[in-house]
């Protein structure tokens, strides 16, 4: 396990570069790419947003390792993670209303402050201080994935009056660089924690100056903007009505809750499964991120005019791949017969599946959920997602370490079988729904086939 992550990382990075280079050659340059004012505006946004993303990704590889370094048991660490997930549920429900009332710029600065404090708490060996840090981390994550995007969209349309059609270009480029930053963050975290022998707390300390700089740049270069004041109860009520009145939305929510809760549990378990064999955790993390980026590139290729696969098919494939990976893990983590190389391969397949899943699910959500109800519906999607992850970790908390890990992967396999059943049901419901299909290469709507 000392060399396997380096080999996997080098291979996946080479594949990723090849796929992205091929995609870049086929892209057409739009008017937005040559507009100086728009490029300056993009740069002001990217400077802050990419620093925030880098600080967030740096904390991924060594979070569990840090708690274990402080001699906490796996059951105690599970409780810390549960507090983080519960925090994400609560703050996720109110984050949209909070940033609209407080102001998007102030919310981004608040993110820098709360996440910096969260990183500082990692210096403490006190259990309750670390729990407080995870709660702040939940608030910070909610702000990261709502305030920055909301600020950009408002400034793009209302302040600068750029065409709304240019917004996807910004977010597409941000998604690409987000993958690059995640891969680089793993290498940097590994360098500070292991190559320089500064320990697992080092990546968190490296994150702090990045967060401070992001806050300073937002304060200096960004204008304040506010959203419409919306009642949280009204948003949630409308979202619940949409969820219950449309079976397609309900099935999508079921698939998302089952799939993403399994991913949350995987995020917790990968370190204790691999760490006893002393792999370079930062490089392992970078390999995961590279695998996910390969999956995203494969999605773009599969849905291109050349191959023309439908997002529904790719969603089904991603769920099936995760089930297969979890099935592998139930054997590779069997007490007394552990196979870390097989577990590592299964984890890479899970990350590859994530790269396929998220753009597929994003496309289907956009088509199925009305724009006015998306915020409310997403609130309801996140509640079972985080609750399932919390229940899974609580079950692990009450289990023996070695058998508990294997049992958890078995439970996750069952959850993915349920997700597969939900996918089959969704196929049945949307069989003749052409709006959930990508347009055919000829530009005409494709006639629905009996297989969809």
């Amino acid at each position: 396990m000392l060399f396997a992550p380096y080999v996997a990382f080098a291979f996946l990075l080479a594949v990723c570069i090849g796929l992205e280079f091929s995609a870049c050659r086929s892209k057409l340059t739009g008017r937005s790419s040559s507009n100086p004012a728009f490029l300056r505006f993009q740069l002001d946004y990217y400077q802050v947003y990419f620093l925030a993303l880098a600080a967030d990704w740096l904390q991924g590889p060594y979070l569990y390792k840090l708690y274990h370094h402080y001699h906490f048991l796996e059951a105690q660490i599970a409780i810390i993670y549960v507090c983080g997930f519960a925090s994400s549920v609560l703050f996720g429900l109110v984050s949209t209303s909070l940033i609209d009332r407080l102001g998007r710029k102030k919310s981004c600065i608040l993110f820098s402050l709360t996440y910096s404090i969260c990183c500082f708490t990692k210096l403490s060996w006190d259990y309750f201080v670390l729990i407080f840090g995870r709660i702040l981390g939940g608030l910070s994550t909610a702000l990261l994935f709502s305030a920055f995007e909301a600020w950009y969209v408002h400034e793009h349309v209302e302040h600068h009056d750029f065409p709304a059609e240019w917004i996807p270009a910004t977010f597409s480029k941000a998604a690409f660089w987000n993958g690059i930053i995640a891969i680089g963050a793993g290498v940097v975290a590994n360098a500070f924690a292991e190559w320089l022998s500064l320990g697992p707390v080092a990546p968190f300390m490296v994150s702090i100056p990045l967060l401070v700089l992001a806050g300073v740049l937002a304060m200096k270069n960004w204008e304040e903007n506010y959203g419409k004041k919306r009642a949280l109860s009204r948003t949630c009520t409308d979202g619940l009505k949409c969820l219950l009145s449309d079976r397609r939305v309900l099935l999508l929510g079921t698939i998302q809750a089952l799939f993403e809760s399994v991913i949350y549990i995987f995020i917790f378990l990968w370190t204790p499964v691999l760490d006893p064999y002393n792999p370079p955790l930062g490089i392992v993390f970078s390999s995961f991120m590279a695998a996910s980026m390969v999956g995203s590139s494969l999605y773009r290729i599969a849905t291109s005019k050349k191959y023309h696969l439908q997002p529904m098919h790719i969603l089904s494939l991603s769920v099936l791949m995760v089930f297969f990976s979890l099935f592998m893990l139930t054997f590779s983590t069997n007490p007394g017969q552990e196979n870390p190389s097989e577990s590592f391969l299964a984890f890479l397949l899970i990350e590859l599946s994530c790269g396929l899943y998220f753009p597929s699910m994003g496309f289907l959500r956009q088509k199925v959920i009305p724009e006015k109800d998306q915020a409310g519906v997403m609130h309801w999607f996140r509640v079972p997602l985080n609750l399932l992850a919390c229940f899974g970790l609580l079950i692990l908390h009450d289990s023996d370490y070695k058998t508990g890990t294997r049992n958890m992967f078995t439970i996750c396999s069952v959850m993915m079988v349920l997700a597969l059943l939900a996918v089959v049901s969704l196929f049945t419901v949307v069989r003749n729904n052409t709006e959930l299909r990508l347009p055919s290469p000829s530009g005409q709507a494709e006639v629905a086939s009996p297989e969809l």
Side-chain angles (χ1 to χ4, degrees), residues 352-372:
L352 180 66
S353 304
C354 288
L356 296 169
Y357 164 84
F358 284 106
S360 305
M361 177 59 77
F363 173 86
L364 294 170
R365 273 202 310 259
Q366 185 181 25
K367 295 293 184 180
V368 168
I369 306 172
E371 186 175 353
K372 64 182 180 65

Short mmCIF file of all heavy atoms in Angstrom, two decimals, residues 352-372:
data_model
loop_
_atom_site.label_atom_id
_atom_site.label_comp_id
_atom_site.label_asym_id
_atom_site.label_seq_id
_atom_site.Cartn_x
_atom_site.Cartn_y
_atom_site.Cartn_z
N LEU A 352 -15.09 7.10 -9.01
CA LEU A 352 -15.39 7.16 -10.45
C LEU A 352 -16.90 7.23 -10.67
O LEU A 352 -17.38 8.01 -11.50
CB LEU A 352 -14.80 5.94 -11.15
CG LEU A 352 -15.01 5.84 -12.67
CD1 LEU A 352 -14.26 6.95 -13.40
CD2 LEU A 352 -14.56 4.47 -13.18
N SER A 353 -17.64 6.46 -9.90
CA SER A 353 -19.10 6.47 -9.99
C SER A 353 -19.66 7.84 -9.61
O SER A 353 -20.64 8.30 -10.22
CB SER A 353 -19.69 5.39 -9.08
OG SER A 353 -19.17 4.12 -9.38
N CYS A 354 -19.05 8.47 -8.61
CA CYS A 354 -19.50 9.81 -8.21
C CYS A 354 -19.35 10.81 -9.36
O CYS A 354 -20.21 11.67 -9.56
CB CYS A 354 -18.71 10.29 -6.99
SG CYS A 354 -19.13 9.44 -5.47
N GLY A 355 -18.24 10.68 -10.09
CA GLY A 355 -18.04 11.56 -11.24
C GLY A 355 -19.11 11.39 -12.30
O GLY A 355 -19.44 12.33 -13.03
N LEU A 356 -19.66 10.18 -12.42
CA LEU A 356 -20.77 9.92 -13.35
C LEU A 356 -22.11 10.34 -12.75
O LEU A 356 -22.98 10.84 -13.46
CB LEU A 356 -20.82 8.43 -13.70
CG LEU A 356 -19.63 7.84 -14.46
CD1 LEU A 356 -19.72 6.31 -14.49
CD2 LEU A 356 -19.58 8.38 -15.87
N TYR A 357 -22.26 10.12 -11.45
CA TYR A 357 -23.56 10.34 -10.80
C TYR A 357 -23.96 11.80 -10.71
O TYR A 357 -25.09 12.17 -11.06
CB TYR A 357 -23.51 9.72 -9.39
CG TYR A 357 -24.62 10.18 -8.48
CD1 TYR A 357 -25.86 9.57 -8.50
CD2 TYR A 357 -24.42 11.24 -7.58
CE1 TYR A 357 -26.88 10.00 -7.65
CE2 TYR A 357 -25.43 11.68 -6.75
CZ TYR A 357 -26.66 11.06 -6.79
OH TYR A 357 -27.66 11.49 -5.97
N PHE A 358 -23.06 12.66 -10.23
CA PHE A 358 -23.47 14.03 -9.91
C PHE A 358 -23.94 14.83 -11.13
O PHE A 358 -24.97 15.50 -11.06
CB PHE A 358 -22.35 14.75 -9.15
CG PHE A 358 -22.26 14.33 -7.72
CD1 PHE A 358 -21.23 13.51 -7.28
CD2 PHE A 358 -23.22 14.72 -6.80
CE1 PHE A 358 -21.16 13.11 -5.95
CE2 PHE A 358 -23.17 14.32 -5.48
CZ PHE A 358 -22.14 13.51 -5.05
N PRO A 359 -23.26 14.78 -12.29
CA PRO A 359 -23.82 15.50 -13.45
C PRO A 359 -25.12 14.88 -13.94
O PRO A 359 -26.00 15.60 -14.42
CB PRO A 359 -22.70 15.43 -14.49
CG PRO A 359 -21.81 14.32 -14.07
CD PRO A 359 -21.91 14.26 -12.59
N SER A 360 -25.25 13.55 -13.84
CA SER A 360 -26.50 12.90 -14.26
C SER A 360 -27.65 13.34 -13.38
O SER A 360 -28.73 13.72 -13.87
CB SER A 360 -26.36 11.38 -14.19
OG SER A 360 -25.26 10.92 -14.92
N MET A 361 -27.43 13.29 -12.07
CA MET A 361 -28.48 13.70 -11.13
C MET A 361 -28.79 15.18 -11.29
O MET A 361 -29.96 15.59 -11.23
CB MET A 361 -28.03 13.38 -9.70
CG MET A 361 -29.01 13.84 -8.62
SD MET A 361 -30.66 13.10 -8.75
CE MET A 361 -30.36 11.45 -8.12
N GLY A 362 -27.77 16.01 -11.51
CA GLY A 362 -27.99 17.44 -11.70
C GLY A 362 -28.87 17.72 -12.91
O GLY A 362 -29.77 18.56 -12.85
N PHE A 363 -28.63 17.02 -14.02
CA PHE A 363 -29.44 17.18 -15.23
C PHE A 363 -30.89 16.80 -14.97
O PHE A 363 -31.83 17.54 -15.34
CB PHE A 363 -28.86 16.32 -16.36
CG PHE A 363 -29.71 16.29 -17.60
CD1 PHE A 363 -29.57 17.28 -18.57
CD2 PHE A 363 -30.65 15.29 -17.80
CE1 PHE A 363 -30.35 17.26 -19.72
CE2 PHE A 363 -31.44 15.27 -18.94
CZ PHE A 363 -31.29 16.25 -19.90
N LEU A 364 -31.11 15.65 -14.32
CA LEU A 364 -32.47 15.17 -14.08
C LEU A 364 -33.22 16.07 -13.10
O LEU A 364 -34.41 16.34 -13.28
CB LEU A 364 -32.42 13.73 -13.57
CG LEU A 364 -31.89 12.70 -14.58
CD1 LEU A 364 -31.66 11.35 -13.91
CD2 LEU A 364 -32.86 12.55 -15.75
N ARG A 365 -32.53 16.53 -12.07
CA ARG A 365 -33.18 17.44 -11.11
C ARG A 365 -33.63 18.72 -11.81
O ARG A 365 -34.73 19.23 -11.55
CB ARG A 365 -32.21 17.80 -9.98
CG ARG A 365 -32.21 16.84 -8.82
CD ARG A 365 -31.67 17.50 -7.56
NE ARG A 365 -30.41 18.18 -7.79
CZ ARG A 365 -29.22 17.70 -7.46
NH1 ARG A 365 -29.12 16.52 -6.88
NH2 ARG A 365 -28.13 18.39 -7.69
N GLN A 366 -32.76 19.26 -12.66
CA GLN A 366 -33.08 20.50 -13.35
C GLN A 366 -34.31 20.33 -14.24
O GLN A 366 -35.12 21.26 -14.37
CB GLN A 366 -31.89 20.94 -14.20
CG GLN A 366 -32.06 22.29 -14.88
CD GLN A 366 -30.86 22.66 -15.72
OE1 GLN A 366 -30.12 21.78 -16.18
NE2 GLN A 366 -30.64 23.94 -15.94
N LYS A 367 -34.48 19.16 -14.84
CA LYS A 367 -35.60 18.91 -15.73
C LYS A 367 -36.90 18.59 -14.99
O LYS A 367 -37.99 18.94 -15.45
CB LYS A 367 -35.27 17.74 -16.67
CG LYS A 367 -34.12 18.02 -17.64
CD LYS A 367 -34.50 19.10 -18.64
CE LYS A 367 -33.41 19.31 -19.67
NZ LYS A 367 -33.76 20.36 -20.65
N VAL A 368 -36.77 17.94 -13.84
CA VAL A 368 -37.96 17.43 -13.13
C VAL A 368 -38.52 18.44 -12.13
O VAL A 368 -39.74 18.59 -11.99
CB VAL A 368 -37.62 16.09 -12.43
CG1 VAL A 368 -38.72 15.70 -11.46
CG2 VAL A 368 -37.41 15.00 -13.47
N ILE A 369 -37.65 19.15 -11.43
CA ILE A 369 -38.08 20.04 -10.35
C ILE A 369 -38.26 21.46 -10.90
O ILE A 369 -37.31 22.02 -11.45
CB ILE A 369 -37.07 20.05 -9.19
CG1 ILE A 369 -36.81 18.63 -8.70
CG2 ILE A 369 -37.57 20.92 -8.05
CD1 ILE A 369 -35.67 18.53 -7.69
N PRO A 370 -39.43 22.06 -10.76
CA PRO A 370 -39.62 23.46 -11.20
C PRO A 370 -38.63 24.38 -10.50
O PRO A 370 -38.32 24.19 -9.32
CB PRO A 370 -41.07 23.77 -10.79
CG PRO A 370 -41.73 22.43 -10.65
CD PRO A 370 -40.66 21.49 -10.20
N GLU A 371 -38.15 25.40 -11.21
CA GLU A 371 -37.11 26.28 -10.67
C GLU A 371 -37.54 26.94 -9.37
O GLU A 371 -36.75 27.08 -8.44
CB GLU A 371 -36.76 27.34 -11.72
CG GLU A 371 -35.59 28.22 -11.31
CD GLU A 371 -35.18 29.19 -12.40
OE1 GLU A 371 -35.72 29.10 -13.51
OE2 GLU A 371 -34.32 30.05 -12.12
N LYS A 372 -38.83 27.34 -9.29
CA LYS A 372 -39.29 28.06 -8.09
C LYS A 372 -39.32 27.16 -6.86
O LYS A 372 -39.31 27.65 -5.72
CB LYS A 372 -40.69 28.63 -8.35
CG LYS A 372 -41.78 27.58 -8.57
CD LYS A 372 -43.12 28.23 -8.85
CE LYS A 372 -44.20 27.19 -9.08
NZ LYS A 372 -44.47 26.38 -7.87
#
